[in-house]
């Protein structure tokens, strides 16, 4: 009986602690980890959302870049943080749905070690070349790749990212061979592409749209089912002869597993409110991204479903990171 009483007492203490955390939340800065370097699409979307939420609520949200290992380092940092709602991460398809299958030893499990808070956006990818490249279209690129297999190289944001696997899908569909050059961040890859050190770069539209607009890069195709409104002259891969081709990356907030539900719901509500504002919607659209909202449960379901879907693609491709 004493054991039962102690167990119940401990449970009551845990519940009371969780309740007190929720009632006084937040009473210190909230850390929002971006698992990629500054300047990329994930970084831009995270900072814009954080600024809007902070403006609405008066909260102090500090954005922190923790890049490395395809986003794994930043995600793992948050997964191992205290579950008090003061450490968040803006994860995406690669580090929450793809990496569990791709990496032989992933230091975290997205479903067991993280609490889903909510989606914030999704965006297609775009294939770009330097402005002075002789490749004027996707057809040109595929013809050149078929003429000399492996001679063309392309940059991605890392092994196993959506950009890497989308390129694998395209190679399989078109019957071509490209050489993959994984980068740790968008800034270096963009500089190398503009400087002519690499032939192509495949990344999210929010990451590259600015370079396309200023004329430093030429967009060959986007990976969405429909054309991107802010890149209306850029065809989809599907319409260039590969029907059904689609690869979109999503972005969503997560926290360590065990964060009190009241705090998860509060975060979800405040970010949804910010995302539904016209101001943020326009900013995301200008970056080539689409605002998404929803419940924590919606996001958790998407992580689980996409983990299965992308896991099959990873296994079929033979890609593996030890």
């Amino acid at each position: 009986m004493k054991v039962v009483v102690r167990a119940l007492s401990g449970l009551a203490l845990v519940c009371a602690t969780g309740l007190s955390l929720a009632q006084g939340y937040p009473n210190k800065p909230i850390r929002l980890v971006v698992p990629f370097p500054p300047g990329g699409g994930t970084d831009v979307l995270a900072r814009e959302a954080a600024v809007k939420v902070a403006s609405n609520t008066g909260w102090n949200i500090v954005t922190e870049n923790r890049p490395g290992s395809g986003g794994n380092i930043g995600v793992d940092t948050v997964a191992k943080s205290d579950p008090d709602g003061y450490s968040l991460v803006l994860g995406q398809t690669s580090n929450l749905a793809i990496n569990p299958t791709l990496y032989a030893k992933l230091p975290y499990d997205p479903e067991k070690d993280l609490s889903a808070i909510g989606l914030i956006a999704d965006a297609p990818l775009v294939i770009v070349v330097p402005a002075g490249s002789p490749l004027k279209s996707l057809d040109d690129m595929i013809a050149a790749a078929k003429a000399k297999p492996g001679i063309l190289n392309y940059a991605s944001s890392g092994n196993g990212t959506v950009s890497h696997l989308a390129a694998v899908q395209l190679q399989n569909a078109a019957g071509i061979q490209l050489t993959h050059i994984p980068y740790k961040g968008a800034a270096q890859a963009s500089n190398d592409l503009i400087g002519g050190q690499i032939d192509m770069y495949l990344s999210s539209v929010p990451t590259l749209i600015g370079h396309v607009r200023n004329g430093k890069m030429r967009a060959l195709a986007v990976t969405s089912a429909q054309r991107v409104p802010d890149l209306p002259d850029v065809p989809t891969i599907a319409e260039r002869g590969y029907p059904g081709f689609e690869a979109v990356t999503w972005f969503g907030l997560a926290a360590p597993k065990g964060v009190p539900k009241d705090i998860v719901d509060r975060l979800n509500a405040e970010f949804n409110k910010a995302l539904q504002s016209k101001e943020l919607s326009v900013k995301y659209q200008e970056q080539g991204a689409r605002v998404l909202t929803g419940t924590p449960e919606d996001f958790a379901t998407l992580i689980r479903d996409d983990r299965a879907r992308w896991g099959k693609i990873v296994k079929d491709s033979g890609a593996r990171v030890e």
Side-chain angles (χ1 to χ4, degrees):
M1 180 62 69
K2 290 182 180 179
V3 173
V4 174
V5 170
R6 286 174 181 171
L8 291 175
S9 298
L11 179 60
L13 178 60
V14 169
C15 293
T17 302
L19 183 60
S20 64
L21 282 172
Q23 287 178 337
Y25 181 85
N27 56 22
K28 62 181 181 179
I30 298 170
R31 177 180 62 156
L32 174 55
V33 172
V34 177
F36 293 99
T42 308
D43 184 63
V44 171
L45 298 179
R47 291 179 187 276
E48 289 178 343
V51 167
K52 184 59 179 175
V53 171
S55 175
N56 287 348
T57 61
W59 294 355
N60 184 2
I61 303 177
V62 179
T63 305
E64 175 185 324
N65 295 90
R66 295 290 296 269
S69 189
N72 294 345
I73 291 176
V75 175
D76 188 49
T77 297
V78 171
K80 290 180 170 56
S81 297
D82 291 336
D84 54 10
Y86 290 97
S87 291
L88 312 177
V89 63
L90 185 60
Q92 56 174 234
T93 311
S94 60
N95 42 58
L96 296 184
I98 294 174
N99 289 358
T101 304
L102 179 75
Y103 282 76
K105 294 181 180 180
L106 197 66
Y108 61 89
D109 184 307
E111 295 177 70
K112 295 179 180 179
D113 300 330
L114 293 168
S115 296
I117 294 172
L119 283 163
I120 72 163
D122 67 4
L125 311 176
V126 59
I127 303 173
V128 296
V129 294
S133 171
L135 305 176
K136 307 296 183 183
S137 67
L138 183 67
D139 293 343
D140 287 348
M141 185 275 284
I142 290 174
K146 285 185 175 180
K148 294 183 178 180
I151 192 170
L152 291 178
N153 60 52
Y154 73 95
S156 79
S157 50
N159 286 310
T161 56
V162 176
S163 55
H164 174 208
L165 294 182
V168 171
Q169 285 183 272
L170 177 59
Q171 290 174 82
N172 291 339
I176 60 175
Q177 181 182 340
L178 304 171
T179 298
H180 179 215
I181 303 178
Y183 277 75
K184 293 182 178 180
Q188 187 60 53
S190 295
N191 289 337
D192 285 357
L193 183 80
I194 293 169
Q197 280 79 46
I198 51 179
D199 299 316
M200 293 178 290
Y201 185 16
L202 187 64
S203 192
S204 69
V205 172
T207 297
L208 300 176
I209 193 169
H211 296 297
V212 174
R213 285 173 174 160
N214 67 23
K216 293 182 178 180
M217 298 179 183
R218 177 187 304 121
L220 302 185
V222 292
T223 64
S224 47
Q226 306 294 328
R227 293 195 181 198
V228 176
D230 285 300
L231 294 173
D233 298 327
V234 181
T236 67
I237 291 176
E239 69 183 86
R240 298 310 302 162
Y242 305 95
F245 190 102
E246 184 177 13
V248 176
T249 187
W250 42 254
F251 308 83
L253 289 165
K257 183 68 76 175
V259 172
K261 187 176 186 304
D262 285 354
I263 291 180
V264 170
D265 291 342
R266 179 86 185 278
L267 286 164
N268 175 268
E270 294 298 346
F271 274 91
N272 279 345
K273 179 182 176 181
L275 292 163
Q276 289 165 351
S277 70
K278 183 177 181 180
E279 175 188 355
L280 200 54
S281 179
V282 169
K283 284 184 177 181
Y284 274 28
Q285 184 176 334
E286 289 174 347
Q287 296 294 329
R290 180 182 63 159
V291 164
L292 296 176
T293 57
T295 67
E297 292 75 21
D298 292 336
F299 187 28
T301 297
L302 178 64
I303 292 172
R304 183 181 67 248
D305 291 350
D306 264 19
R307 181 172 180 171
R309 183 174 74 88
W310 282 105
K312 183 179 185 305
I313 294 172
V314 169
K315 289 177 181 176
D316 289 348
S317 73
R320 190 72 167 165
V321 178
E322 297 299 330

